[in-house]
mmCIF file of all heavy atoms in Angstrom:
data_model
loop_
_atom_site.group_PDB
_atom_site.id
_atom_site.type_symbol
_atom_site.label_atom_id
_atom_site.label_comp_id
_atom_site.label_asym_id
_atom_site.label_seq_id
_atom_site.Cartn_x
_atom_site.Cartn_y
_atom_site.Cartn_z
ATOM 1 N N ASN P 44 33.809 4.343 8.426
ATOM 2 C CA ASN P 44 35.041 3.659 8.828
ATOM 3 C C ASN P 44 34.872 2.144 8.892
ATOM 4 O O ASN P 44 35.859 1.406 8.903
ATOM 5 C CB ASN P 44 35.520 4.177 10.185
ATOM 6 C CG ASN P 44 36.173 5.548 10.084
ATOM 7 O OD1 ASN P 44 36.557 5.982 9.010
ATOM 8 N ND2 ASN P 44 36.277 6.233 11.223
ATOM 9 N N HIS P 45 33.636 1.697 8.960
ATOM 10 C CA HIS P 45 33.354 0.262 9.027
ATOM 11 C C HIS P 45 32.837 -0.293 7.700
ATOM 12 O O HIS P 45 32.228 -1.357 7.669
ATOM 13 C CB HIS P 45 32.325 -0.024 10.134
ATOM 14 C CG HIS P 45 32.902 0.071 11.516
ATOM 15 N ND1 HIS P 45 33.114 1.268 12.146
ATOM 16 C CD2 HIS P 45 33.315 -0.900 12.383
ATOM 17 C CE1 HIS P 45 33.618 1.048 13.339
ATOM 18 N NE2 HIS P 45 33.758 -0.248 13.519
ATOM 19 N N THR P 46 33.083 0.425 6.617
ATOM 20 C CA THR P 46 32.629 -0.027 5.301
ATOM 21 C C THR P 46 33.165 -1.417 4.973
ATOM 22 O O THR P 46 32.414 -2.304 4.534
ATOM 23 C CB THR P 46 33.052 0.968 4.208
ATOM 24 O OG1 THR P 46 32.393 2.221 4.423
ATOM 25 C CG2 THR P 46 32.678 0.436 2.825
ATOM 26 N N ASP P 47 34.448 -1.630 5.166
ATOM 27 C CA ASP P 47 35.047 -2.932 4.849
ATOM 28 C C ASP P 47 34.420 -4.045 5.682
ATOM 29 O O ASP P 47 34.091 -5.122 5.165
ATOM 30 C CB ASP P 47 36.558 -2.903 5.086
ATOM 31 C CG ASP P 47 37.297 -2.051 4.063
ATOM 32 O OD1 ASP P 47 36.710 -1.753 3.002
ATOM 33 O OD2 ASP P 47 38.451 -1.677 4.328
ATOM 34 N N ALA P 48 34.231 -3.791 6.972
ATOM 35 C CA ALA P 48 33.658 -4.805 7.858
ATOM 36 C C ALA P 48 32.219 -5.120 7.472
ATOM 37 O O ALA P 48 31.795 -6.294 7.487
ATOM 38 C CB ALA P 48 33.728 -4.338 9.309
ATOM 39 N N LEU P 49 31.460 -4.091 7.101
ATOM 40 C CA LEU P 49 30.075 -4.314 6.686
ATOM 41 C C LEU P 49 30.009 -5.111 5.391
ATOM 42 O O LEU P 49 29.199 -6.036 5.258
ATOM 43 C CB LEU P 49 29.355 -2.972 6.517
ATOM 44 C CG LEU P 49 28.976 -2.233 7.801
ATOM 45 C CD1 LEU P 49 28.512 -0.817 7.494
ATOM 46 C CD2 LEU P 49 27.888 -2.990 8.572
ATOM 47 N N CYS P 50 30.843 -4.758 4.425
ATOM 48 C CA CYS P 50 30.850 -5.474 3.143
ATOM 49 C C CYS P 50 31.246 -6.936 3.327
ATOM 50 O O CYS P 50 30.663 -7.835 2.712
ATOM 51 C CB CYS P 50 31.790 -4.787 2.161
ATOM 52 S SG CYS P 50 31.183 -3.195 1.545
ATOM 53 N N GLU P 51 32.222 -7.173 4.180
ATOM 54 C CA GLU P 51 32.642 -8.547 4.446
ATOM 55 C C GLU P 51 31.523 -9.343 5.121
ATOM 56 O O GLU P 51 31.255 -10.489 4.754
ATOM 57 C CB GLU P 51 33.885 -8.544 5.348
ATOM 58 C CG GLU P 51 34.427 -9.936 5.640
ATOM 59 C CD GLU P 51 35.662 -9.909 6.518
ATOM 60 O OE1 GLU P 51 36.244 -8.834 6.711
ATOM 61 O OE2 GLU P 51 36.053 -10.983 7.027
ATOM 62 N N ALA P 52 30.855 -8.720 6.074
ATOM 63 C CA ALA P 52 29.758 -9.392 6.776
ATOM 64 C C ALA P 52 28.577 -9.663 5.848
ATOM 65 O O ALA P 52 27.939 -10.718 5.914
ATOM 66 C CB ALA P 52 29.311 -8.544 7.967
ATOM 67 N N LEU P 53 28.286 -8.721 4.953
ATOM 68 C CA LEU P 53 27.194 -8.899 3.989
ATOM 69 C C LEU P 53 27.502 -10.044 3.028
ATOM 70 O O LEU P 53 26.605 -10.773 2.600
ATOM 71 C CB LEU P 53 26.954 -7.607 3.216
ATOM 72 C CG LEU P 53 26.242 -6.496 3.996
ATOM 73 C CD1 LEU P 53 26.431 -5.145 3.316
ATOM 74 C CD2 LEU P 53 24.757 -6.818 4.151
ATOM 75 N N ASP P 54 28.766 -10.197 2.696
ATOM 76 C CA ASP P 54 29.182 -11.308 1.831
ATOM 77 C C ASP P 54 29.000 -12.637 2.562
ATOM 78 O O ASP P 54 28.476 -13.602 1.998
ATOM 79 C CB ASP P 54 30.638 -11.118 1.412
ATOM 80 C CG ASP P 54 31.129 -12.228 0.498
ATOM 81 O OD1 ASP P 54 30.321 -12.791 -0.260
ATOM 82 O OD2 ASP P 54 32.328 -12.547 0.538
ATOM 83 N N ILE P 55 29.417 -12.700 3.820
ATOM 84 C CA ILE P 55 29.308 -13.940 4.595
ATOM 85 C C ILE P 55 27.845 -14.325 4.819
ATOM 86 O O ILE P 55 27.448 -15.475 4.621
ATOM 87 C CB ILE P 55 30.024 -13.796 5.954
ATOM 88 C CG1 ILE P 55 31.532 -13.602 5.740
ATOM 89 C CG2 ILE P 55 29.775 -15.017 6.833
ATOM 90 C CD1 ILE P 55 32.285 -13.212 6.996
ATOM 91 N N ASP P 56 27.027 -13.360 5.223
ATOM 92 C CA ASP P 56 25.636 -13.660 5.586
ATOM 93 C C ASP P 56 24.717 -13.824 4.380
ATOM 94 O O ASP P 56 23.804 -14.659 4.400
ATOM 95 C CB ASP P 56 25.076 -12.551 6.485
ATOM 96 C CG ASP P 56 25.623 -12.601 7.903
ATOM 97 O OD1 ASP P 56 26.155 -13.659 8.295
ATOM 98 O OD2 ASP P 56 25.524 -11.581 8.608
ATOM 99 N N LEU P 57 24.938 -13.013 3.338
ATOM 100 C CA LEU P 57 23.980 -12.969 2.232
ATOM 101 C C LEU P 57 24.600 -13.198 0.856
ATOM 102 O O LEU P 57 23.879 -13.233 -0.139
ATOM 103 C CB LEU P 57 23.251 -11.618 2.230
ATOM 104 C CG LEU P 57 22.383 -11.325 3.458
ATOM 105 C CD1 LEU P 57 21.923 -9.872 3.441
ATOM 106 C CD2 LEU P 57 21.177 -12.258 3.507
ATOM 107 N N GLY P 58 25.909 -13.312 0.792
ATOM 108 C CA GLY P 58 26.562 -13.507 -0.499
ATOM 109 C C GLY P 58 26.516 -12.273 -1.379
ATOM 110 O O GLY P 58 26.579 -12.381 -2.609
ATOM 111 N N LYS P 59 26.429 -11.086 -0.778
ATOM 112 C CA LYS P 59 26.404 -9.856 -1.576
ATOM 113 C C LYS P 59 27.815 -9.473 -1.988
ATOM 114 O O LYS P 59 28.741 -9.486 -1.182
ATOM 115 C CB LYS P 59 25.770 -8.709 -0.766
ATOM 116 C CG LYS P 59 24.283 -8.877 -0.532
ATOM 117 C CD LYS P 59 23.639 -7.602 -0.013
ATOM 118 C CE LYS P 59 22.138 -7.791 0.161
ATOM 119 N NZ LYS P 59 21.443 -6.553 0.543
ATOM 120 N N SER P 60 27.952 -9.121 -3.256
ATOM 121 C CA SER P 60 29.255 -8.674 -3.738
ATOM 122 C C SER P 60 29.579 -7.315 -3.133
ATOM 123 O O SER P 60 28.708 -6.600 -2.638
ATOM 124 C CB SER P 60 29.239 -8.558 -5.264
ATOM 125 O OG SER P 60 28.381 -7.493 -5.668
ATOM 126 N N ARG P 61 30.854 -6.962 -3.187
ATOM 127 C CA ARG P 61 31.295 -5.666 -2.664
ATOM 128 C C ARG P 61 30.561 -4.523 -3.362
ATOM 129 O O ARG P 61 30.094 -3.582 -2.715
ATOM 130 C CB ARG P 61 32.805 -5.521 -2.875
ATOM 131 C CG ARG P 61 33.371 -4.144 -2.525
ATOM 132 C CD ARG P 61 33.806 -4.068 -1.114
ATOM 133 N NE ARG P 61 34.197 -2.730 -0.721
ATOM 134 C CZ ARG P 61 34.981 -2.470 0.309
ATOM 135 N NH1 ARG P 61 35.460 -3.451 1.045
ATOM 136 N NH2 ARG P 61 35.277 -1.223 0.641
ATOM 137 N N LYS P 62 30.446 -4.612 -4.682
ATOM 138 C CA LYS P 62 29.791 -3.545 -5.444
ATOM 139 C C LYS P 62 28.336 -3.382 -5.024
ATOM 140 O O LYS P 62 27.850 -2.266 -4.815
ATOM 141 C CB LYS P 62 29.872 -3.847 -6.941
ATOM 142 C CG LYS P 62 29.314 -2.742 -7.830
ATOM 143 C CD LYS P 62 29.524 -3.055 -9.300
ATOM 144 C CE LYS P 62 28.995 -1.921 -10.176
ATOM 145 N NZ LYS P 62 29.183 -2.219 -11.614
ATOM 146 N N GLU P 63 27.630 -4.510 -4.899
ATOM 147 C CA GLU P 63 26.226 -4.445 -4.494
ATOM 148 C C GLU P 63 26.103 -3.917 -3.075
ATOM 149 O O GLU P 63 25.226 -3.090 -2.778
ATOM 150 C CB GLU P 63 25.577 -5.834 -4.582
ATOM 151 C CG GLU P 63 24.104 -5.828 -4.197
ATOM 152 C CD GLU P 63 23.493 -7.210 -4.195
ATOM 153 O OE1 GLU P 63 24.214 -8.194 -4.444
ATOM 154 O OE2 GLU P 63 22.276 -7.303 -3.929
ATOM 155 N N ALA P 64 26.956 -4.401 -2.174
ATOM 156 C CA ALA P 64 26.894 -3.974 -0.775
ATOM 157 C C ALA P 64 27.109 -2.468 -0.651
ATOM 158 O O ALA P 64 26.396 -1.779 0.087
ATOM 159 C CB ALA P 64 27.937 -4.723 0.045
ATOM 160 N N GLU P 65 28.082 -1.954 -1.388
ATOM 161 C CA GLU P 65 28.355 -0.518 -1.314
ATOM 162 C C GLU P 65 27.210 0.293 -1.903
ATOM 163 O O GLU P 65 26.831 1.334 -1.355
ATOM 164 C CB GLU P 65 29.656 -0.195 -2.045
ATOM 165 C CG GLU P 65 30.912 -0.647 -1.313
ATOM 166 C CD GLU P 65 32.172 -0.191 -2.007
ATOM 167 O OE1 GLU P 65 32.094 0.168 -3.205
ATOM 168 O OE2 GLU P 65 33.243 -0.205 -1.357
ATOM 169 N N TYR P 66 26.649 -0.201 -3.006
ATOM 170 C CA TYR P 66 25.626 0.568 -3.721
ATOM 171 C C TYR P 66 24.279 0.579 -3.001
ATOM 172 O O TYR P 66 23.673 1.643 -2.817
ATOM 173 C CB TYR P 66 25.467 0.027 -5.137
ATOM 174 C CG TYR P 66 24.450 0.782 -5.966
ATOM 175 C CD1 TYR P 66 24.674 2.109 -6.326
ATOM 176 C CD2 TYR P 66 23.264 0.177 -6.384
ATOM 177 C CE1 TYR P 66 23.751 2.815 -7.076
ATOM 178 C CE2 TYR P 66 22.331 0.881 -7.139
ATOM 179 C CZ TYR P 66 22.580 2.198 -7.484
ATOM 180 O OH TYR P 66 21.655 2.890 -8.214
ATOM 181 N N VAL P 67 23.794 -0.601 -2.597
ATOM 182 C CA VAL P 67 22.432 -0.666 -2.058
ATOM 183 C C VAL P 67 22.378 -0.621 -0.535
ATOM 184 O O VAL P 67 21.285 -0.544 0.042
ATOM 185 C CB VAL P 67 21.684 -1.931 -2.553
ATOM 186 C CG1 VAL P 67 21.626 -1.962 -4.052
ATOM 187 C CG2 VAL P 67 22.330 -3.201 -2.007
ATOM 188 N N GLU P 68 23.539 -0.683 0.115
ATOM 189 C CA GLU P 68 23.539 -0.647 1.574
ATOM 190 C C GLU P 68 24.273 0.592 2.101
ATOM 191 O O GLU P 68 23.684 1.440 2.763
ATOM 192 C CB GLU P 68 24.199 -1.922 2.138
ATOM 193 C CG GLU P 68 23.514 -3.227 1.736
ATOM 194 C CD GLU P 68 22.410 -3.661 2.682
ATOM 195 O OE1 GLU P 68 21.939 -2.848 3.495
ATOM 196 O OE2 GLU P 68 22.018 -4.842 2.594
ATOM 197 N N ILE P 69 25.545 0.716 1.776
ATOM 198 C CA ILE P 69 26.375 1.776 2.354
ATOM 199 C C ILE P 69 26.027 3.150 1.772
ATOM 200 O O ILE P 69 25.753 4.105 2.514
ATOM 201 C CB ILE P 69 27.878 1.500 2.115
ATOM 202 C CG1 ILE P 69 28.250 0.066 2.515
ATOM 203 C CG2 ILE P 69 28.714 2.539 2.872
ATOM 204 C CD1 ILE P 69 28.086 -0.269 3.952
ATOM 205 N N GLN P 70 26.024 3.256 0.435
ATOM 206 C CA GLN P 70 25.836 4.564 -0.187
ATOM 207 C C GLN P 70 24.456 5.150 0.078
ATOM 208 O O GLN P 70 24.312 6.364 0.217
ATOM 209 C CB GLN P 70 26.088 4.459 -1.693
ATOM 210 C CG GLN P 70 27.552 4.252 -2.054
ATOM 211 C CD GLN P 70 27.779 4.187 -3.557
ATOM 212 O OE1 GLN P 70 26.935 4.607 -4.341
ATOM 213 N NE2 GLN P 70 28.925 3.656 -3.958
ATOM 214 N N ILE P 71 23.461 4.302 0.142
ATOM 215 C CA ILE P 71 22.103 4.808 0.402
ATOM 216 C C ILE P 71 22.033 5.464 1.775
ATOM 217 O O ILE P 71 21.461 6.550 1.941
ATOM 218 C CB ILE P 71 21.073 3.671 0.273
ATOM 219 C CG1 ILE P 71 20.882 3.315 -1.206
ATOM 220 C CG2 ILE P 71 19.735 4.072 0.907
ATOM 221 C CD1 ILE P 71 19.918 2.192 -1.463
ATOM 222 N N VAL P 72 22.616 4.813 2.777
ATOM 223 C CA VAL P 72 22.612 5.389 4.127
ATOM 224 C C VAL P 72 23.424 6.674 4.159
ATOM 225 O O VAL P 72 23.000 7.685 4.735
ATOM 226 C CB VAL P 72 23.162 4.374 5.155
ATOM 227 C CG1 VAL P 72 23.272 5.016 6.541
ATOM 228 C CG2 VAL P 72 22.271 3.144 5.225
ATOM 229 N N SER P 73 24.591 6.672 3.522
ATOM 230 C CA SER P 73 25.444 7.853 3.505
ATOM 231 C C SER P 73 24.766 9.033 2.814
ATOM 232 O O SER P 73 24.794 10.166 3.318
ATOM 233 C CB SER P 73 26.757 7.516 2.792
ATOM 234 O OG SER P 73 27.592 8.647 2.706
ATOM 235 N N SER P 74 24.124 8.766 1.686
ATOM 236 C CA SER P 74 23.427 9.834 0.957
ATOM 237 C C SER P 74 22.252 10.374 1.759
ATOM 238 O O SER P 74 21.999 11.587 1.780
ATOM 239 C CB SER P 74 22.932 9.313 -0.392
ATOM 240 O OG SER P 74 24.008 8.924 -1.211
ATOM 241 N N GLU P 75 21.546 9.475 2.425
ATOM 242 C CA GLU P 75 20.408 9.907 3.232
ATOM 243 C C GLU P 75 20.871 10.760 4.407
ATOM 244 O O GLU P 75 20.221 11.753 4.759
ATOM 245 C CB GLU P 75 19.630 8.682 3.731
ATOM 246 C CG GLU P 75 18.280 9.030 4.324
ATOM 247 C CD GLU P 75 17.410 7.798 4.547
ATOM 248 O OE1 GLU P 75 17.533 6.831 3.778
ATOM 249 O OE2 GLU P 75 16.612 7.820 5.489
ATOM 250 N N LEU P 76 21.990 10.379 4.998
ATOM 251 C CA LEU P 76 22.556 11.177 6.081
ATOM 252 C C LEU P 76 22.858 12.599 5.623
ATOM 253 O O LEU P 76 22.513 13.581 6.306
ATOM 254 C CB LEU P 76 23.843 10.518 6.579
ATOM 255 C CG LEU P 76 23.762 9.630 7.815
ATOM 256 C CD1 LEU P 76 25.067 8.862 7.986
ATOM 257 C CD2 LEU P 76 23.452 10.443 9.054
ATOM 258 N N ASP P 77 23.505 12.721 4.477
ATOM 259 C CA ASP P 77 23.831 14.045 3.946
ATOM 260 C C ASP P 77 22.561 14.861 3.715
ATOM 261 O O ASP P 77 22.515 16.061 4.019
ATOM 262 C CB ASP P 77 24.599 13.910 2.628
ATOM 263 C CG ASP P 77 25.995 13.333 2.827
ATOM 264 O OD1 ASP P 77 26.500 13.364 3.960
ATOM 265 O OD2 ASP P 77 26.578 12.841 1.835
ATOM 266 N N TYR P 78 21.546 14.216 3.191
ATOM 267 C CA TYR P 78 20.284 14.905 2.897
ATOM 268 C C TYR P 78 19.613 15.383 4.180
ATOM 269 O O TYR P 78 19.105 16.512 4.259
ATOM 270 C CB TYR P 78 19.360 13.963 2.130
ATOM 271 C CG TYR P 78 18.069 14.597 1.674
ATOM 272 C CD1 TYR P 78 18.056 15.530 0.639
ATOM 273 C CD2 TYR P 78 16.859 14.256 2.271
ATOM 274 C CE1 TYR P 78 16.872 16.113 0.216
ATOM 275 C CE2 TYR P 78 15.671 14.830 1.854
ATOM 276 C CZ TYR P 78 15.677 15.759 0.823
ATOM 277 O OH TYR P 78 14.500 16.336 0.425
ATOM 278 N N LEU P 79 19.605 14.535 5.206
ATOM 279 C CA LEU P 79 18.999 14.908 6.485
ATOM 280 C C LEU P 79 19.731 16.080 7.124
ATOM 281 O O LEU P 79 19.107 17.037 7.593
ATOM 282 C CB LEU P 79 19.011 13.712 7.438
ATOM 283 C CG LEU P 79 18.149 12.503 7.060
ATOM 284 C CD1 LEU P 79 18.364 11.360 8.060
ATOM 285 C CD2 LEU P 79 16.677 12.867 7.010
ATOM 286 N N LEU P 80 21.051 16.002 7.152
ATOM 287 C CA LEU P 80 21.846 17.068 7.767
ATOM 288 C C LEU P 80 21.690 18.389 7.017
ATOM 289 O O LEU P 80 21.702 19.468 7.619
ATOM 290 C CB LEU P 80 23.321 16.653 7.807
ATOM 291 C CG LEU P 80 23.655 15.538 8.810
ATOM 292 C CD1 LEU P 80 25.063 14.998 8.549
ATOM 293 C CD2 LEU P 80 23.525 16.041 10.239
ATOM 294 N N GLU P 81 21.520 18.295 5.711
ATOM 295 C CA GLU P 81 21.374 19.504 4.888
ATOM 296 C C GLU P 81 20.034 20.193 5.114
ATOM 297 O O GLU P 81 19.937 21.419 5.007
ATOM 298 C CB GLU P 81 21.529 19.123 3.412
ATOM 299 C CG GLU P 81 21.474 20.292 2.456
ATOM 300 C CD GLU P 81 21.591 19.866 1.002
ATOM 301 O OE1 GLU P 81 22.082 18.742 0.759
ATOM 302 O OE2 GLU P 81 21.203 20.647 0.124
#
Side-chain angles (χ1 to χ4, degrees):
N44 284 343
H45 285 79
T46 296
D47 290 343
L49 286 169
C50 289
E51 182 179 347
L53 285 162
D54 181 30
I55 295 170
D56 286 342
L57 296 170
K59 290 193 178 185
S60 68
R61 173 91 187 201
K62 185 176 182 180
E63 181 184 3
E65 287 185 342
Y66 181 66
V67 302
E68 300 271 16
I69 311 297
Q70 289 181 18
I71 287 179
V72 175
S73 178
S74 297
E75 192 168 329
L76 263 169
D77 291 341
Y78 185 72
L79 294 176
L80 289 168
E81 183 182 340

